[in-house]
Structures are given as C-alpha cells and as structure tokens.
Amino acid sequence: MEIYGYQRKPLHSDAVSTLPLYRSAPLLEVRLEDFERFAIDRLRVLKGISDGLSRGKKPEEIENLAIDLWKANMRHPDASEVVNKDIIAHFVLRLVYCRTEDLRKWFLSMETALFRYRLRHESAEAQRALMAEFDLPYKAVSTSEFESMKDKLGQVARSIGQPLTPADTKFYTVPFEEVPELVAGRRVFLHKGHAYVAMNQVVSLVATQFRSHLSKALILTNRKWTSSIREQEKDRLTPIVEALCTSYLGPDYSEPREFAEISIRDIDQIAMSSFPLCMRHLFEKLREDHHLKHGGRMQLGLFLKGVGLKLDDALAFWKAEFSQKVGAERFDKEYAYSIRHNYGREGKRTDYTPFSCQKIISSAPGVGDHHGCPYRHFSEENLRAALGKMRVNSRAIEDVMDKVRNRHYQLACTLTFEAVHGTSCDAGINHPNQYFSESQKVVQLKVDPVVV
Amino acid sequence: MPIPYRNEVWLLVFLGQALGLGDGRGPPPRSTYRLAASRRVLSFDGRVFMNDEKKRPTPTFHDSACAISHTTNCPLKCRKFIMPHAVSPDSSPTVGEDVTMTDDSAVDTMMDTSQGDEPPSAQGDHQKNEDLEAMFDDEDDDEFTASSAPDSSVPAIIPPQSAKFSDPEVMRAFYQRLFPYKQLFHWLNHSAVPNHDFQHREFAFTLANDVYLRYQSFPSAELFRKQCVAQTPSRFEIGPVYSTNPRDRKTLRRAAAFKPLSKELVFDIDMTDYDEIRTCCSGGKICLRCWSFMKMAIKVLDVALREDFGFQHILWVYSGRRGVHAWVCDKSARQLDDNQRKSIATYLELLKGGDNSGKKVNARRPLHPHIERSLAILREHFQADILQEQDPWLEDEKAAHLLSLLPDETLIKSLQKKWGSSSHRSSKNKWADIDDLASSGGGSAKLDPRKLREAKQDIVLEYTYPRLDAAVSKHLNHLLKSPFCVHPGTGRVCVPIDPSTVDDFDPLDVPTVTELLGQVDQYFKDAGEEEAADAAARRAPDWEKTRLKPYVEYFRGFVNNLVKDEQNGKRKAEGGEAMEF
C-alpha cells in the first residue's frame, strides 16, 4: 500500500550518514501492521527519553539511554530496511502527533532530542555534511583570530568540562541568535553578538535547524490531516493514528476525577493527608505568607482545580489568604483574573491542565519562589526537615535521599508516598494529581474498609 | 483612539460648569459659545453620558476585563466603549469636519438635569467659566501639531501644589503639558512618518479606577496624546508590534493572523528580589544604600549586553519606585523570538533556586568570561556597599547563612566559636575572619584554599549579582510600563538613567509630577507679562521649563541615535546604488 499524502523522491542511500533529515516523505509501500509496529517501536524510544528527562537525568545519561533504546527498538532483520523503518516510523508519528498543540510540542522536543543524540554519535565528516545540507550561516574563525581569542575560548571550554586539545582549533562564528541553547548555558564565548562555536558544538546548530524544520512540517501535516487525510482514511489509518497517541500519554487530570468536588472547609485536612510534598509546601507557604509568586500560584492553583476545587471556591480560597497581605480590593483587581484564567474563563479561554511531574521538575524557581519539585529544588537539609514534618521515618528518609542523590525525583516522591501511607505504590508517581487520587483511595479505604 | 471624540462628536462638560453656561450671567466665553452652538454635548463629570440614541449604536464593551469589572452601568464608570464603525481611524472623517453639525437638544437636556442637581452659586461662576474655557480649548485641540505646546490663549490649569499626584486633574495636567509624546513616538516609530511600528503597537492603559484596557493602538502621536488626556491613565504599558492593528484583532477571520511581531528586549529588576539580603529597607521603601543594588545591576548588564551581544541602544529607566527597567531597542533585539529572548535571559541569570535551596550561586570553574568580568565590577561594590553599608551578617541568624555557604566543617566550627563569643561583630570583620582563621589553621587539614576562594567568590556574587525578573524578558508579548509614566504610589516620573553616569543617579531626587507642574506654574509667574507675550517662549514645550528637561533631552538624544542607525540600516538594505549618489 501507499501511505497517503506522501509524494516526491525516495530518500537516503547516497548520504554519508545514516541519519535522515526527514525532509520529505518517502514513496514507499508499507504494510499496515508495519505502519503501526514501526511507530510503536519509535514511540518506545521517545517515551524513554521523555521519562529520562522528567526524572532529571544528566544529559550524558539520557544520551546513552537514547542510543541504547534506539539500538534495541529500531532494529530490522533486513539491514537494508533499517533506514526505511526509521523514516516510516518518523512520518507515521508525525501524523499521530501533528493534531494538537500539546502533542506537537511533545513530539518536537523528543524528536529533536533524539536527533541530537544520534547526531553526536556521527563522525565529524558526517556532521559537516549535515551542516552543509542545512546551509548554516557559520563562518570559520581564522588562525590569527583564533590566536587572539585563544585564552577566552579555552576558558569557556574548560568551564564546561571540555578542555581544548591542541587539535581543537576549529571554531566557527555564528550570530548568537542561531545557537540559543549554547548561549543559555553559557557554553560559548560571546563577542559583539557572535558566538564562538567549537566543532563539537555544531550539533547544537544543526539540531536547532532540525527543530525549526520539523516544527513547520508538523503544522503543514496538521493542515493536510484535517483537510483531507482524516476523512479519506477514516476506515483504515485514522483509527490507528488516533489510538497511537492516547495509548501513551496517560491521563492529564484536566477534569477532576473520582473524588470530584472538595470544599474549602476540608482543604486543610486534605492537604495534610493527601497532597504531595510540592503542593503541601506551596499550601503551607500560602497559609504562612498569605502570598505566592506567579509560578507557585499556577502550580498550586491548577493542582487544586484538578483536585476538584470549583472556581467560586478557588476564588474564595485565594482571596481569604491574599487579602490578608494585599487587601481584598487589590486581590480582586490583580489576582482574581489569573485564577479565572486558570479555569478558562478569561483571555483565550483555554482550560489549563494541571502540571505534571515532568513539568514541575524541569521548572526553574527563582528567588522568592516556592514552586518546583522539592526533591529537586530543595537543599538536602531543607528536604530532610520537610520530610520529617510529613512524619516520614528516618529509615525511609535515607532511602528518599538516596533516590534524590541519583536524581530519581519521582521515585523519591513515590517512596515518600509509600512511607506516609504505609502501602506500596507500584505505578510510581508521575503527576501530583495522581499522587492525590492514589492517596485518597488509601485514605477512603482506611475510613470505611471495603466489605467484600 | 478614544472613540468618543472621533467622527461622533462627543464632548464632555462638567456638570457645574454646564450650569455656568446656561445661567445667563454675562456672555459665555468664546469657545464655550462655539461649542454650545455647534456640538452635541456629553455631560461627564459626575459621569453622566448623554447619548443621541436615534443615531448612535449602543456602545459595546471594549474588553472582557471591562465587562467583568462593570457588569452594570459600565459606560457611566469607565468611559470605555467603542463604536463598531469607528475601528479604522483612517477611513473616518476628522473631528474638525463634524464641527458644523448642530444638535442643541442634547445641550438642553443636559442643562435640565444639572439644574436640578446643583443650584448655581454666584461667586463660583466666573472661576468655572475660566476652567471651562481652558478645558474646552484643550479638548478642542484639533490642530495639535505633534508638539505638546498648548494653545497660547490657554491659562494654565495647574492644580495647587498641595494636590495629590494621584488626583485625576494632576494627571490630566501632566498629560497635557509635560508628557514627551513626540520623543516617545519617534522612539517607537523609528522614523518621522507614522508606520506600523507605531500604529500596530499595543498600549495598555490602567485607568484611575483600575480598569485595565489592553490592545489600544494609535494612528499618530496626536491621537495618542488625546486619549491620554481624555482618560488620564494612572499609567500605561507598552507591548509588542502586532501583525495587524490591535484594535482590529476581533474583526479578523483567523485569530492566528493576529500575532506579535517585534518588541524591544526588556529587563526588569525589582528591589523585592533583594529583600532577603538588604538590611536598610524592606517592601516598597528604598534609600541610597540599597539603590546601589540597582547600580550594580545596571553596570553588569549594560556591559554584557553591549560587549557580548553587541547591542548598542539600551535605554535604562527608573521604574518610579524601587526598580529599573531596560529596553534594548536595536532592530536585531526587537526581532528576537521567545526562544532567543529566553536564551539571553538565562545567559544573564546566575542565581538559581528558591528560598529553600540553600546556596544560590554555583558557578562553574573556571568562570565564564561574562561572570569573571561581572565579578571584577561587583567586587569593588562588595566591600563598600555590601559589607560596610548593608552589614548583612550582623545578626546571628544571617551569619548562619554565611556559614552554610562555606565548604569546610572545621572552619565553620571555629568561625562559629569566634563569633559566638563576640556578638554583633560587623560583617566586614566576619568576612576577614574567614581568611584569617583558614590561614591560621582554623580549618581542617584537607581544606582546599582554592575551594574556599571559589566559595567566597560565589558569596560575593550571591550578594551583588543582578537578580532579574527573567519572566519579563522571556516573552515577546510581555507588557512593560512606559518611560515617563508617573508612578502612582510615589508620583515620581519614570525617567531614563544614563548608564555612563549611573553612580550619580539618585532615585529620591527624581522629580514628582506635582513638583514639575509647580515649576511650570512658577515659570509663568516669574516670566511676567513681557516674556509671556514672547511667542517663542510660549511655544516651547512645557517640560523645558522644569526639572524634567535633562531627562527628556537625554531620551531625545538616545532616540536620535536609534533612528539614525535605523535609517542607515534601511539604506543599506535597499542596496548600494542609492549610496553612490
């Protein structure tokens, strides 16, 4: 069969690298079961990367993980078919993940991450070929310029733990706008708007290009999908495509589930019994300071929405606290809007979903902030004190700290859950609202034991 | 555009003043007469609107925020409505063309109502008429010529010195006489002829009753001035340039066609983020001691933006109370996307972690050239401005935080012992103790002098390095308060700060709005008869007669440089041939 909507020439073959750029879809015949199987294989890789990121693993660890996952999942008995499998799987997932903003965002970052890791494993020769392919605005730094900058360049290189070897004299200058990630990490020397990029860093350059190409392509694919493919393929591909993404995303807790509706009266007690540490901390700080900065308001506010706090109750709840600090009038003027906004009653009227662990772990709380993941963002002492307050016994605290040291923040949270509730939690914690509902299940069970 | 003044000729009249108009004592002033004869009148103070219902469609709310704040009687309170057909200013006739229209009935009705409300008082009438004339002349300023110079026949309507700066009449006078519209326009427009850079730019007004009006835009500086005078916003913010006129956004078929295109790269530094390390003031208060945090921030960021990123047009602005804003206006900066803005903000950010994370600076070694340069700048300030002036570790609790940032347990113990015996030892001495004890064997054998030096560097940075409100910088569509607004809490004008003389800038010396208005008043008093007749002096903008002058002139120079660069850039882009001639 032919995958619908794909045209133009076949890819690969004469390229130096085995890393395709997925510029255009291949004109290939694909069996229906391969269509789905290849996609699932690739999804396993992307999902693995996503989990690694949300556990806060180091870049090198994720890189190794990604390469291992790739080798394990994307094999093909016929060696000549490996590249085709890669390409087909990618384009199937494009269809799957082009359909909403959230899906696109996830796919984009995971595919870019994967591309980056694979690119780093390519030879310098292949990397250069890819740079040429993307027509990047790089300019080689002349020897004399390099000599005059050598000290600064060496300083940056050492500060990121990649000291220059005598052979490492190849640098490129690019406008700093082209390498935002290198700039953000202070991983390049900047002078008058130019970034001095080492050869081994061009990966970042190429990955940025890849990302922007893919981003545009996803929008186009989405248009094509909604305008024709979905309808034409409604008996064949559409069901597969639609099933593929839901099977992996898990619930997003945008709608309060089983324990819908909590009231303000119970909220303190519920917070004590069933909030994960990140939310407990915010909650306590709010009660203490009668104020939270924006990041904290978002994280706690959306969580409470997911927990089942109705808009009116939410307004009353926040007002009761904030008015003690800023006065009721200022609350109505400055803060009430954003709470209604969270509930989709203002602005573009999106009903925002509560933050997942991944999002919370990767947030970067600043001075005066209380949001974020305590396991990641607290110092060891503060975390110990906080766990002690939750009455986690000292043995369990050591286990938790051990996970924290290895950057398994979600596992640390899971252990805390188990210690607090005295039951095991096999699923692991990956969403504060999941923590809450699991906890409520346990609590309810204790209150009125199920009569079997 | 404040629609009330456009092709629908709406006017506002104060109730009491309307009385003066109708009671027949003496001839009405010239302008009032003309108005009564030619215009429908909308009574306004006391906030009553007269509306010719036959001709005029019902006002529609302009913004969802408005609908929520004033579900009832909104037009009475917030003067914020929009005529559906008045959206595109280019197509509508000018106000002047409408002047011939006559509709006396509205005037009559209005006078009827007002008569009942408040009987005329003889002695107040003369005064009222004068006020009225002044007011009409300003509202009637159809021929406004991009200069804020008032009509020469206008008597000053400057409120007495004692008036509060939040008083709407103070704000009205400020917007009429002092605000440098022309310079602001050039700054945002980048050339003399109005173009999309200005016309598609979002302004957001905060009105005196705290209604927040987003998506305002203006075809020209004159019309911008008019809305400011009419609505006397307590402040306004500047957002991005959009792909279409922000006022037209709801008429677009596809919502996605309305998107932000460009905006200055902005930074916001607020003293609240320093509260945990400043000891002299807290909350909204500042003094010269803690102002040095802002000086340090300006120095470090200014040099980084220029040297590292190559930006040239960086405008620093005092936020009116306790912070500073930076507007990077280079074309390349305006065109940055969110991701690039974020990368710059992250590059410049050093302090990590919330209040619970302990050590906030963990710089990699060797230091990145930017951090190294910053440290060199900040070190000078650390001795004087931090150790001496702030004395941050005087109290035991604060000293404990200092200890928690040091590496060696044994050293910490010896320091603890030493400080415990002499309470209230100054920060300067405590800082010196660290090295003294370390070199005299107070630390453990394995204490690495390099580690200690690095920890001390990190501490210097934690107490001096700029604390950015990075969220402001990361998004293209973030709004930031405009320069030259008046801070509603302090009355101080948000004046630019020249980074080359930042050490001399004193926030407590920044003029307040009431002070400036008093200076205009004083000028006319001092000038007396003969000079007042001098047309040139009258025509000069009023800010020249006040302490605002050096600030506006600095801003004008800044804008001139920016516009010059912009023109050069354009010429280059248009090709070399034009240059040959």
Side-chain angles (χ1 to χ4, degrees), chain B residues 376-392:
Chain B
I377 297 171
L378 295 168
R379 205 173 259 137
E380 292 172 28
H381 288 272
F382 183 73
Q383 281 297 333
D385 294 339
I386 303 299
L387 292 184
Q388 198 88 4
E389 296 291 336
Q390 292 291 334
D391 205 352

Side-chain angles (χ1 to χ4, degrees), chain A residues 316-417:
Chain A
F317 168 73
W318 289 99
K319 188 169 183 171
E321 290 302 329
F322 271 59
S323 54
Q324 295 177 47
K325 168 121 182 206
V326 302
E329 199 188 345
R330 238 187 100 194
F331 174 83
D332 288 339
K333 280 175 203 155
E334 292 175 25
Y335 298 99
Y337 179 90
S338 72
I339 292 161
R340 289 193 297 269
H341 193 263
N342 280 350
Y343 281 78
R345 306 291 169 83
E346 296 280 1
K348 63 178 174 177
R349 300 190 177 247
T350 316
D351 203 358
Y352 290 91
T353 52
F355 293 173
S356 66
C357 286
Q358 186 189 344
K359 180 152 183 162
I360 292 171
I361 289 171
S362 55
S363 68
V367 178
D369 276 332
H370 293 291
H371 67 276
C373 174
Y375 302 99
R376 171 151 193 209
H377 297 114
F378 276 23
S379 66
E380 186 169 327
E381 278 162 55
N382 286 327
L383 182 57
R384 278 177 193 277
L387 290 171
K389 241 167 92 188
M390 286 177 88
R391 302 216 193 94
V392 177
N393 65 45
S394 54
R395 261 245 322 277
I397 289 185
E398 288 314 314
D399 292 345
V400 170
M401 297 317 294
D402 189 51
K403 293 292 176 207
V404 168
R405 260 172 244 125
N406 292 312
R407 295 191 196 77
H408 298 306
Y409 306 116
Q410 288 172 264
L411 292 180
C413 191
T414 312
L415 286 181
T416 309
F417 179 95

